[in-house]
Amino acid sequence: MRITYSTFKYFCPSSAQPSEKLVERIEAYIVKSNQKLREAIGAELHESLDALTFDPSNIPDDMQAMLLAAVTAFVCLDAYYEAIPSLDLVLTATGFGVVSNQNTAPASADRVRNLRERIAADRDDAFDYMLGLLRGYAPWCEGEQAQALFSSLFWRGADMVEFPDMKQPHRSDLLAARSKIEAGEIELARIISPELLEALCADIRTNTGSMRRSVFVAQCRRFVARAADSLDTTQQRLNLIAYLDRYLECFPEYEASSAYKANHFTPYENKLHDSCYFFGK
């Protein structure tokens, strides 16, 4: 993927516009970030985009152009984020730059940290936007990379808003909480069945879920968020089962599952005139 100076500048925060010299210095980081992208989305899709060059002067107005903008933004921002610790950054009147003489003072650690946090958030959002565009994209969404990226109901940082302590979550927050989410989804699968959980993830990946199923996914996320934080989920569990029972025709995977039978199991009532009546105190 060819990253020009104008492209790099286009995607960087206005307070940290890089110079052409800086872009040249971080070429190795651009290569590494491009490889990271390749591993995430797969070689075939990457090669189809890698042959193109994003033009900052044209507003993307079709699927391929918007996707190219998203992946280019990710590569630029990820490379910048990774390069910052190795650069002699300074804060000048026109933004951050590289120390070139004795008349400039290095930027404070707080300012550099804030810059990296801003770039990381923009990078995460670019990646999630890319995934949103790829949902339902037939040539890609049945491949291994798609299966891995959409193996959970929480596929983007914004889904983390269901967690009480998450106000403006990004993908970094999602990755940090992945083990907790997986534990919560194991609990969820016991209630709604592994078959339905897998089908709901497929709905998200292929962008084919009905309105009823989409509403149910939101309820599932609320359950997982509470389960992941070891909070009481009694009410959320009852809400899930009640919704499934009300719209059972929309959830054939659940109706045919052992979870459905378990949720509707009726214990034996010991009656006096039954042929197998049990005596006891």
Side-chain angles (χ1 to χ4, degrees), residues 8 18-30 79 83-89 97-100:
F8 204 100
S19 65
E20 291 190 54
K21 182 178 180 180
L22 177 59
V23 174
E24 291 175 1
R25 289 183 61 189
I26 63 177
E27 178 63 32
Y29 291 95
I30 294 174
I84 284 175
S86 67
L87 300 175
D88 297 322
L89 290 183
V98 179
V99 173
S100 58

Side-chain angles (χ1 to χ4, degrees), residues 56-67:
S57 64
N58 292 328
I59 299 176
D61 59 358
D62 58 55
M63 167 65 176
Q64 186 182 61
M66 290 187 292
L67 188 56

Side-chain angles (χ1 to χ4, degrees), residues 189-202:
R190 293 194 181 106
I191 300 169
I192 71 172
S193 80
E195 295 84 358
L196 179 55
L197 177 57
E198 183 179 349
L200 294 174
C201 291

Side-chain angles (χ1 to χ4, degrees), residues 135 162 201 279:
R135 290 176 60 206
E162 299 297 346
C201 291
F279 292 90

Side-chain angles (χ1 to χ4, degrees), residues 78-138:
D78 186 68
Y80 206 2
Y81 176 84
E82 296 295 343
I84 284 175
S86 67
L87 300 175
D88 297 322
L89 290 183
V90 295
L91 181 64
T92 69
T94 56
F96 285 88
V98 179
V99 173
S100 58
N101 56 57
Q102 299 302 316
N103 298 321
T104 55
S108 69
D110 286 342
R111 286 183 181 274
V112 175
R113 182 175 61 252
N114 291 339
L115 171 62
R116 292 196 82 209
E117 289 176 354
R118 166 70 187 282
I119 291 176
D122 289 348
R123 174 201 60 190
D124 288 352
D125 292 346
F127 192 88
D128 284 354
Y129 177 65
M130 175 194 71
L131 289 186
L133 291 172
L134 288 172
R135 290 176 60 206
Y137 181 53

Side-chain angles (χ1 to χ4, degrees), residues 241-258:
I241 296 174
Y243 190 91
L244 287 170
D245 288 343
R246 184 176 183 182
Y247 302 110
L248 191 59
E249 70 280 2
C250 298
F251 302 95
E253 303 91 350
Y254 171 70
E255 187 177 12
S257 72
S258 57

Side-chain angles (χ1 to χ4, degrees), residues 4 19-20 28 50 86 99 120 127 132 134 139 174-175 185 237 239 259:
T4 65
S19 65
E20 291 190 54
D50 200 37
S86 67
V99 173
F127 192 88
L134 288 172
L174 174 64
L175 297 178
E185 289 188 328
R237 178 182 180 277
N239 290 344

Side-chain angles (χ1 to χ4, degrees), residues 140-165:
W140 178 81
C141 67
E142 295 303 327
E144 292 182 7
Q145 284 77 18
Q147 300 273 353
L149 288 166
F150 290 96
S151 61
S152 167
L153 299 180
F154 293 77
W155 61 274
R156 58 183 174 181
D159 295 331
M160 292 291 291
V161 295
E162 299 297 346
F163 284 73
D165 58 340

